[in-house]
Amino acid sequence: MTAEAVEILPAGRIRLVETALPELPGRHRAAMDRVWEESVRANPALFDGPTAVLTGLRRDGADGLVLHWARTTYRHHALRRVPDAPVYASLFVSVAQPAGEGRLLVGRMAPWTVAPGRWQLPGGTVEPPAADAELDLTALCAHAARELAEETGSDTPPGALTPWLTTRGGRGSVGVLFTAPPRPARELYDRYARLVRTETARGDAPELDRIELIASPTDLERLEGPHVDYLRPVVRRFNGA
């Protein structure tokens, strides 16, 4: 799916409904496990942790969405490489971090991640809550704030984030985007630099190996490497284009 085909959806009201994950036929499960094991051998940093996948989406009036989701683990994304297998769309959160003059912070995924070299907004795949907890917009907001802090060093409280819009892009993946309060550009770069020093000192590698501030699709094209399909229309929307 091209960037022009990314669908911008409302985010005024979002309701999340948990569903059961459909049972996989044995042949697809065996193929999924084989592909996942090959992926882990190629990148030992991969971890088969819990994740939430999208099982359905419908509109709820003019400004609402109902997102149906199910609990699974990261290995289920290997089904994308299995012919004729059912594919589960990703559910993720992102944060638009403004820096003045219409600029947004973007980061490049580190070589050890599942998408090395890819530019995107700070964020990540949604993790399912504990069995006795609810996945709702408040939980998504908290997850977005945590991703922003972990990836950029900007520790914005969840209550300071504002739901902005929802995107549906390649493979049907849906992202719920929040906006953060603006910060000076120098502060954003300094916070990221401190994060890198701290993680390096304890032997860890940052998830983003570089950050930049962009204000237009033209700025996006100057970045070296690919970018997520939603980024171009989001930058346009942010600047009212």
Side-chain angles (χ1 to χ4, degrees):
M1 178 177 286
T2 65
E4 289 72 20
V6 172
E7 189 176 5
I8 303 296
L9 300 167
R13 293 181 296 107
I14 294 178
R15 185 162 61 91
L16 293 108
V17 179
E18 184 173 2
T19 62
L21 191 71
E23 188 69 26
L24 269 180
R27 61 189 179 88
H28 287 154
R29 176 166 292 279
M32 175 189 71
D33 291 340
R34 182 176 63 253
V35 171
W36 173 257
E37 290 162 6
E38 292 171 353
S39 299
V40 172
R41 283 196 293 271
N43 182 2
L46 295 180
F47 172 65
D48 192 22
T51 187
V53 292
L54 196 73
T55 55
L57 178 153
R58 64 178 174 84
R59 293 200 179 238
D60 182 17
D63 66 342
L65 289 175
V66 179
L67 305 179
H68 296 266
W69 66 278
R71 299 170 187 266
T72 185
T73 65
Y74 280 99
R75 75 171 53 227
H76 277 81
H77 292 306
L79 288 169
R80 296 169 181 169
R81 295 165 53 193
V82 176
D84 303 321
V87 176
Y88 303 111
S90 296
L91 177 61
F92 64 93
V93 291
S94 292
V95 180
Q97 173 62 68
E101 300 178 353
R103 294 183 295 173
L104 285 176
L105 184 150
V106 295
R108 186 176 67 183
M109 299 292 285
W112 60 269
T113 63
V114 295
R118 187 183 70 186
W119 291 89
Q120 60 185 52
L121 297 176
T125 304
V126 173
E127 298 176 1
D132 59 346
E134 184 178 1
L135 184 60
D136 55 15
L137 191 58
T138 299
L140 294 185
C141 188
H143 184 56
R146 185 168 64 252
E147 292 285 351
L148 180 65
E150 291 176 352
E151 294 182 354
T152 73
S154 292
D155 52 347
T156 302
L161 298 183
T162 303
W164 179 30
L165 52 82
T166 307
T167 64
R168 179 162 57 181
R171 302 189 181 95
S173 297
V174 167
V176 180
L177 276 63
F178 299 83
T179 56
R183 292 183 186 269
R186 186 70 269 157
E187 179 184 339
L188 290 172
Y189 281 117
D190 287 347
R191 284 174 176 266
Y192 173 72
R194 287 198 297 270
L195 173 71
V196 171
R197 288 195 298 269
T198 299
E199 295 202 345
T200 302
R202 66 182 182 218
D204 295 331
E207 191 168 353
L208 301 179
D209 67 3
R210 180 179 161 192
I211 65 168
E212 292 291 347
L213 300 175
I214 63 171
S216 69
T218 301
D219 290 343
L220 188 57
E221 294 307 320
R222 295 194 184 105
L223 300 176
E224 181 180 350
H227 54 79
V228 290
D229 55 5
Y230 68 78
L231 197 49
R232 181 186 295 272
V234 163
V235 171
R236 286 177 177 157
R237 179 66 66 96
F238 182 77
N239 285 299

